[in-house]
């Protein structure tokens, strides 16, 4: 079965190159292997050239804006949607053309999809009854084991309508695990829950996954959720994979302007390359330790810098990267304030800066206050402007300049 037992280096050439470094590759044996996957609806390409390896026991999140193809990819893995091209192998077996019932997975949907007329115990044991491989006593023991695992042993005789949203999601999770699948698929399982329940349940899901060691793929549009729960994140946009990496790599080392702007808060600044590893931002020259890959002298670029990486400056007006600014908006976020500041010399240069609340109080900073900030050359990410324009009004939480 070609492609199932021989991993292929992941990558494409040109502007659509899949960014994949050694640290982003699974460190364990590949359990799920996807090669050249595509899905078309007439002239519209929902997925294009998707290559991915998921290690056994790994927790991977598909992350991206609405319409990026993440749910389509999950449904193709499950066999709920057929691919237009490409192959999928699970545990060395080519499952590309297998039906849903022939694939080894459990799935939890956003809507829970519980049977309202069946008790919690009957819902969890439904797959076991359908398989018919266990007698009644063994099915009951398995159901009790799973209800203990998700903390719902006392609710076995209740009905879904008598449970909270978080409890219903636990029942759906227990049902998906009942047949001991090799792969667990989670389709935005927490999006219908309120923020506090969602935060608690995602930690419970991660702890449960680590305990039982099942290979897991979760679709989400929630960046914080993916950063918290995933071993690796697959960032998708426009039916393609933009970057694959650990949460730290995705956040700290975005490989494209889209990833930089989509993950977390980000400032995007217009700049010009004026020398080897040297930029002109506004009227200030700034040395930058980041490699100017694909950029040449006098080229216009986009500089990405996170609000928390911008430092308060000293009295040295000529310090490299220093800008005199005025606060035009100040947002209280508990342990820190997010200040929107405007350059006093160049009003087109505006930034979001995160300031510790203790500093804001000590310096009595408020809207209209003047201060000096320093752009850290070691924490800047540089992208050619022409290939970044489509992201400048992106769906991330970044500050777009």
């Amino acid at each position: 079965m070609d492609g199932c037992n021989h991993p292929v280096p992941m990558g494409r050439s040109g502007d659509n190159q899949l960014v994949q470094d050694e640290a982003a590759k699974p460190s364990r044996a590949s359990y799920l292997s996807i090669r050249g996957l595509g899905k078309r609806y007439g002239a519209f390409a929902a997925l294009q050239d998707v290559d991915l390896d998921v290690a056994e026991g790994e927790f991977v999140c598909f992350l991206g804006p609405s319409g990026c193809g993440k749910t389509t990819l999950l449904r193709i893995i499950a066999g709920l949607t057929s691919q237009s091209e490409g192959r999928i192998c699970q545990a060395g077996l080519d499952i590309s053309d297998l039906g849903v019932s022939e694939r080894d997975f459990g799935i939890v949907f956003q809507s829970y999809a519980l049977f309202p007329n069946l008790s919690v115990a009957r819902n969890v044991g439904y797959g076991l009854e359908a398989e018919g491989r266990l007698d009644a006593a063994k099915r009951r023991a398995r159901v009790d084991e799973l209800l203990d695992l998700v903390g719902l042993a006392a609710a076995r005789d209740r009905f879904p309508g008598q449970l909270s949203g978080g409890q219903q999601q636990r029942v759906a999770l227990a049902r998906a695990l009942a047949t001991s699948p090799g792969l667990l698929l989670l389709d935005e399982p927490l999006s219908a829950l309120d923020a506090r329940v969602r935060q608690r349940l995602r930690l419970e899901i991660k702890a449960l996954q680590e305990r039982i060691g099942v290979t897991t793929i979760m679709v989400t549009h929630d960046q914080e959720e993916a950063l918290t729960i995933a071993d690796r994140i697959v960032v998708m946009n426009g039916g393609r994979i933009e970057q694959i990496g650990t949460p730290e790599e995705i956040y700290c080392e975005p490989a494209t302007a889209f990833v930089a702007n989509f993950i977390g808060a980000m400032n995007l600044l217009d700049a010009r390359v004026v020398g080897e590893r040297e930029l002109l931002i506004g009227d200030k020259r700034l040395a930058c330790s980041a490699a100017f890959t694909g950029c040449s002298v006098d080229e216009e670029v986009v500089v990405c810098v996170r609000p928390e990486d911008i430092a308060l400056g000293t009295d040295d007006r000529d310090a490299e990267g220093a800008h005199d600014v005025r606060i035009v908006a100040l947002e209280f976020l508990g342990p820190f304030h997010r200040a929107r500041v405007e350059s006093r010399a160049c009003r087109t240069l505006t930034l979001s800066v995160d300031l510790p609340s203790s500093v804001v109080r000590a310096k009595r900073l408020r809207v209209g206050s003047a201060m000096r900030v320093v752009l850290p050359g070691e924490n800047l990410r540089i992208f050619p402007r022409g290939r970044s324009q489509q992201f400048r009004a992106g769906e991330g939480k970044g500050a777009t300049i």
Side-chain angles (χ1 to χ4, degrees), residues 49-62:
D49 301 326
V50 172
D51 292 331
L52 176 65
D53 280 309
V54 178
E56 187 170 4
E58 190 176 22
F59 197 124
V60 170
C61 280
F62 294 167

Side-chain angles (χ1 to χ4, degrees), residues 8 23 45 48 63 88 115 160 173 198 207 210 223-224 231 240 242 252 257 261 299 306 321 363 373:
V8 177
Q48 303 178 68
L63 175 66
I88 306 173
F115 299 106
L173 185 60
R198 189 165 65 243
E210 289 179 340
Q223 303 163 27
E224 182 179 321
D231 296 321
R240 294 185 182 274
E242 290 275 337
C252 299
N261 195 35
E299 183 173 355
R306 295 204 181 276
K363 292 182 175 293
V373 296

Side-chain angles (χ1 to χ4, degrees), residues 29-109:
S30 179
Y31 176 76
L32 187 74
S33 180
I34 298 172
R35 292 291 177 267
L37 202 71
K39 177 62 179 179
R40 296 185 305 276
Y41 296 96
F44 173 69
L47 289 175
Q48 303 178 68
D49 301 326
V50 172
D51 292 331
L52 176 65
D53 280 309
V54 178
E56 187 170 4
E58 190 176 22
F59 197 124
V60 170
C61 280
F62 294 167
L63 175 66
S66 297
C68 71
K70 57 187 184 294
T71 296
T72 299
L73 180 55
L74 189 84
R75 289 179 61 85
I76 290 174
I77 293 170
L80 298 170
T81 299
S82 61
Q83 69 272 21
S84 300
E85 60 262 336
R87 313 302 295 173
I88 306 173
C89 297
Q90 182 179 353
L93 173 67
D94 190 334
I95 64 169
S96 306
D97 301 318
L98 296 184
V100 174
S101 62
E102 299 173 282
R103 303 192 185 198
D104 179 20
F105 72 94
I107 190 166
V108 177
F109 295 101

Side-chain angles (χ1 to χ4, degrees), residues 138-355:
K138 290 182 178 178
R139 284 201 304 269
R140 181 183 176 91
R142 176 62 175 161
V143 168
D144 288 344
E145 176 189 6
L146 288 163
L147 289 177
D148 281 336
L149 197 63
V150 298
L152 288 175
R156 70 178 332 276
D157 296 322
R158 295 166 67 183
F159 291 86
Q162 299 173 305
L163 304 178
S164 68
Q167 289 173 323
Q168 289 184 52
Q169 194 58 280
R170 288 189 183 93
V171 173
L173 185 60
R175 183 178 62 182
L177 294 170
T179 58
S180 300
L183 181 63
L184 177 62
L185 304 176
L186 307 174
D187 186 10
E188 304 219 36
L190 308 179
S191 61
L193 304 174
D194 64 58
R196 187 176 294 274
V197 174
R198 189 165 65 243
Q199 185 177 27
R200 184 179 71 248
L201 196 54
R202 74 188 182 205
L203 295 177
E204 292 179 6
I205 289 175
K206 178 60 175 176
L208 179 62
Q209 186 269 341
E210 289 179 340
R211 180 176 174 182
I212 62 180
V214 63
T215 306
T216 301
I217 296 174
M218 183 170 80
V219 165
T220 182
H221 64 273
D222 188 313
Q223 303 163 27
E224 182 179 321
E225 192 169 278
L227 292 170
T228 300
I229 204 170
D231 296 321
R232 286 190 305 149
I233 297 172
V234 178
V235 183
M236 300 184 66
N237 180 46
R240 294 185 182 274
I241 293 176
E242 290 275 337
Q243 187 175 358
I244 303 172
T246 66
E248 291 82 3
E249 289 164 347
I250 295 294
Y251 187 84
C252 299
E253 301 174 21
T256 68
F258 172 82
V259 176
N261 195 35
F262 184 75
I263 305 296
M266 183 67 78
N267 292 290
L268 303 184
L269 308 175
D270 291 326
R272 182 164 57 88
V273 178
V274 292
E276 185 177 353
R277 296 178 183 264
E278 189 175 20
L279 299 169
L280 184 66
I281 301 178
D283 61 347
K284 296 282 187 176
R285 284 179 175 260
L286 176 62
C288 177
S289 58
F292 294 179
T293 305
C295 302
S296 57
V297 174
D298 287 332
E299 183 173 355
E300 302 294 325
V301 296
V302 173
V303 177
C304 299
V305 57
R306 295 204 181 276
E308 67 266 26
D309 288 332
I310 299 173
L312 282 177
T314 65
D315 292 335
D316 183 3
R317 184 182 300 273
D318 296 323
E320 189 173 74
H323 291 268
D324 289 319
V325 298
R326 181 178 63 88
I327 298 176
V328 296
L330 195 60
E331 183 181 7
F332 175 62
L333 296 172
F336 69 95
H337 284 65
R338 180 158 292 160
R340 185 74 168 170
V341 302
E342 181 181 87
S343 171
R344 300 174 72 182
C346 178
R347 289 195 173 185
T348 60
L349 177 61
T350 59
L351 295 162
S352 286
V353 182
D354 287 350
L355 303 169

